Amino acid sequence: MTAAFKISLPNGLNYDQPTGLFIDNEYVPANGEKFTVYNPTTDEEIITLQGASEEDVDKAVAAARRAFDGEWSELEAVERGALLYKLAELIDRDRKLLASIDSFDNGKSFSDAYGGDLLESYNVFRYYAGAADKITGKTIETSHKKLAYVLQEPLGVCGQIIPWNYPFMMLAWKVAPALACGNTIVLKPAEQTPLSALYFGKLIVEAGFPPGVVNIIPGLGYISGKALAGHMDVDKIAFTGSTATGRSIMKSAASNLKNITLECGGKSPSIVFEDADLDQAVKWCHSGIMDNMGQVCTSTSRIYVQDTIYDEFLAKFTEKTKEAATKIGDPFHEDTYQGPQVSKAQFDKVLSYIDEGKKSGARVLHGGAKHGDKGYFIQPTVFADTTEDMKIVKEEIFGPVVAISKFSTEAEVIAKANDTSYGLAAAVFTQKVTKAHKVARKIQAGMVFINSSGDSHFGIPFGGYKSSGIGRELGQYALDAYTQSKAVHVNLGTEL
Ligand code: NAI
Ligand code: MG
């Protein structure tokens, strides 16, 4: 067993943070590279952990394989569901602690973590707890003498590599459906935010899961993540993160033709037509890019406004941004809307895009610099009059930075909206019902929000077109993503 580390959270909660790797229901020492987890609010070190080495990844995969071949596969689906229900209740019991941990090492506001991420995680576990015994195949009569039926079977050992922007919720989106379908798991949390995932191991034990069903291996992407993605005894890789890393994971996964689900980057457009309810459009366009410090894969980071209402929109959007900017600060303060970016690397990256935007001639309506002198805070930054060739319009920034420009016709804005290698989400603002649905169809994206932004729901498929990913998470779609079909042909006759 590894020693637990005492952590005192800013809101007064104290807890024992497990360290090491969680394999076979025990915390064991890791042998890989060390990495440090920071508090982004203060730039202070929280803890230095040792990550999983390639040999550690082998150990975790072997544990997951033993569990898959053994005890776990012998459980009835209804028993898997019962374990998932138990786990959901433990998450609910520890909701305040888990939300505090995510707020601490990620920098997101506690109220978002508690009211958003952790509530969603609880619901996701309950949804898939209920789904465990409702996974069904089909029966197909192929002729009068033959019958075929299709079994939906688990894939086996699933490697899951998750990012830092919704640490616990990304775990929930991946772990819950994989377990409901009868798979076993090796989960690699992001090196910036591994604490709540490591703590989750305790809940796995308490819920009563057999050893090896869920294994958790913090570590660096290019070591532990890469080893997991390329491992010959892993059957699936599910990943959320950047498109560049998604591409490299896909290459690693080619080693044994793993099943893959990739949920990658985006540069999603909001389209505001002149017949939109302007105040509503401003509100949703603002939250669509500024929520979670702009660190959302579906962030609507390009806004196209019809020329007739462009100036009015800019004035209202700037006003809204100014008002929200008064609520930058300590994530644990109840009024805080915007905390710090997750890491020094992300902080530097976002600031360099802001510089790039200024150099390229975009007009700064708000922000344009870091906020304060401590931590990784950035002023919400609004660029107007941007053009399609600018880097800030083309590339994912993943920060509180938006590029606004105008259009005159529907055809023009659809062409602009689709002029990107990404295709994750899009928002359309109009009061005309036919226009809304027509435009929704023409947008090349996995998700479209009408008079809204940032929507996701555990029952609805989540994922992207083009370079935004492969496959879908959540809903019934995730059950397909974590099973494979086996066709069984039955001969009812006697003739060849
Ligand atoms: P990343 O995509 O490199 O990291 C995400 C996860 O992948 C982490 O767990 C990391 O350890 C792992 N990883 C990294 N390299 C790997 C490899 N070669 N093989 C296997 N696993 C690997 O993202 P990063 O570096 O944290 O952020 C860079 C950019 O990615 C952000 O600025 C943002 O644009 C984008 N991003 C998108 C997210 C989304 O929700 N789609 C989430 C996080 C980042
Ligand atoms: Mg990276």
Side-chain angles (χ1 to χ4, degrees):
M1 289 293 274
T2 51
F5 180 85
K6 296 244 177 255
I7 289 187
S8 302
L9 293 161
N11 57 356
L13 285 181
N14 299 308
Y15 77 104
D16 287 333
Q17 171 65 48
T19 62
L21 311 171
F22 180 76
I23 297 178
D24 261 336
N25 278 4
E26 285 186 7
Y27 290 96
V28 297
N31 301 292
E33 296 288 308
K34 287 190 172 159
F35 62 95
T36 299
V37 182
Y38 291 91
N39 173 353
T41 306
T42 59
D43 193 22
E44 284 161 357
E45 181 176 335
I46 297 176
I47 187 173
T48 293
L49 295 172
Q50 199 151 0
S53 65
E54 283 185 26
E55 292 72 28
D56 291 331
V57 174
D58 286 344
K59 265 191 244 165
V61 171
R65 177 60 60 193
R66 276 194 303 277
F68 183 75
D69 289 342
E71 209 178 329
W72 184 239
S73 295
E74 282 154 28
L75 283 190
E76 301 289 353
V78 68
E79 295 173 307
R80 290 202 306 270
L83 284 169
L84 284 166
Y85 274 122
K86 182 83 202 294
L87 191 53
E89 294 314 313
L90 295 175
I91 290 166
D92 190 45
R93 181 196 69 190
D94 290 353
R95 181 171 162 196
K96 188 169 176 197
L97 176 63
L98 288 165
S100 306
I101 298 173
D102 274 4
S103 175
F104 189 44
D105 67 1
N106 168 281
K108 65 172 62 206
S109 78
F110 171 78
S111 54
D112 277 358
Y114 186 80
D117 303 26
L118 264 296
L119 176 62
E120 162 87 1
S121 302
Y122 172 66
N123 284 331
V124 166
F125 273 100
R126 284 173 53 83
Y127 180 90
Y128 288 106
D133 59 2
K134 295 168 195 70
I135 296 164
T136 54
K138 284 182 181 158
T139 308
I140 302 157
E141 198 181 285
T142 48
S143 79
H144 291 308
K145 299 197 182 80
K146 297 240 173 111
L147 168 76
Y149 61 91
V150 182
L151 298 170
Q152 281 308 118
E153 298 192 332
L155 294 165
V157 175
C158 298
Q160 305 187 319
I161 299 176
I162 57 172
W164 41 259
N165 51 344
Y166 291 89
F168 199 82
M169 196 177 101
M170 287 296 101
L171 172 157
W173 282 23
K174 291 200 169 33
V175 169
L179 293 182
C181 294
N183 300 281
T184 58
I185 292 171
V186 178
L187 174 87
K188 196 203 85 61
E191 47 271 54
Q192 297 83 355
T193 57
L195 304 182
S196 59
L198 264 176
Y199 181 89
F200 177 66
K202 294 209 224 189
L203 305 185
I204 288 290
V205 176
E206 194 178 343
F209 282 86
V213 173
V214 177
N215 306 277
I216 302 158
I217 54 159
L220 298 174
Y222 69 93
I223 300 173
S224 350
K226 191 161 184 238
L228 190 58
H231 203 288
M232 294 302 282
D233 202 27
V234 170
D235 301 296
K236 179 189 176 96
I237 284 286
F239 164 78
T240 299
S242 64
T243 291
T245 298
R247 205 171 274 129
S248 117
I249 285 178
M250 194 169 171
K251 280 189 195 146
S252 304
S255 58
N256 60 340
L257 286 190
K258 286 179 187 65
N259 178 306
I260 50 173
T261 304
L262 304 175
E263 204 271 282
C264 298
K267 191 72 193 178
S268 301
S270 285
I271 302 172
V272 186
F273 287 104
E274 60 189 357
D275 52 40
D277 177 327
L278 198 57
D279 289 332
Q280 284 292 315
V282 166
K283 180 178 87 184
W284 291 106
C285 284
H286 178 269
S287 67
I289 176 61
M290 299 301 176
D291 277 6
N292 210 40
M293 289 67 78
Q295 301 169 145
V296 187
C297 52
T298 54
S299 284
T300 27
S301 50
R302 298 183 282 149
I303 306 177
Y304 297 101
V305 185
Q306 200 148 21
D307 45 14
T308 45
I309 55 162
Y310 185 63
D311 291 335
E312 198 185 346
F313 181 92
L314 290 183
K316 283 180 184 255
F317 193 88
T318 308
E319 202 45 48
K320 176 84 195 149
T321 308
K322 214 181 265 176
E323 177 198 315
T326 62
K327 298 178 190 162
I328 303 181
D330 179 357
F332 284 94
H333 193 287
E334 61 179 24
D335 287 336
T336 294
Y337 169 68
Q338 184 185 329
Q341 306 308 119
V342 73
S343 65
K344 179 74 168 52
Q346 287 297 309
F347 174 79
D348 289 342
K349 175 185 161 183
V350 175
L351 286 179
S352 78
Y353 271 111
I354 290 176
D355 278 348
E356 171 68 36
K358 287 179 187 164
K359 275 190 213 132
S360 63
R363 180 155 62 106
V364 182
L365 294 184
H366 190 277
K370 68 175 183 164
H371 169 92
D373 290 323
K374 204 166 90 176
Y376 314 138
F377 293 90
I378 292 180
Q379 296 172 0
T381 298
V382 181
F383 284 111
D385 308 342
T386 54
T387 53
E388 294 307 288
D389 54 317
M390 292 179 183
K391 258 192 177 175
I392 57 163
V393 174
K394 284 188 165 328
E395 297 179 13
E396 181 175 59
I397 300 175
F398 228 60
V401 182
V402 69
I404 312 181
S405 62
K406 61 178 149 187
F407 71 91
S408 52
T409 69
E410 188 179 308
E412 175 197 345
V413 76
I414 287 166
K416 282 180 170 171
N418 288 336
D419 181 21
T420 165
S421 58
Y422 292 116
L424 197 54
V428 183
F429 296 89
T430 171
Q431 301 269 54
K432 296 210 168 135
V433 72
T434 46
K435 193 197 278 183
H437 294 289
K438 261 168 61 192
V439 174
R441 287 202 180 203
K442 287 183 184 156
I443 294 287
Q444 296 157 359
M447 291 164 276
V448 179
F449 316 123
I450 295 177
N451 294 328
S452 179
S453 64
D455 293 308
S456 82
H457 181 277
F458 47 85
I460 306 296
F462 189 102
Y465 282 21
K466 304 199 278 188
S467 291
S468 287
I470 296 179
R472 296 292 178 269
E473 299 193 277
L474 298 181
Q476 300 293 305
Y477 293 75
L479 301 178
D480 291 336
Y482 283 102
T483 53
Q484 55 194 335
S485 53
K486 177 187 281 171
V488 181
H489 294 262
V490 184
N491 183 10
L492 304 173
T494 51
E495 287 158 34
L496 258 187

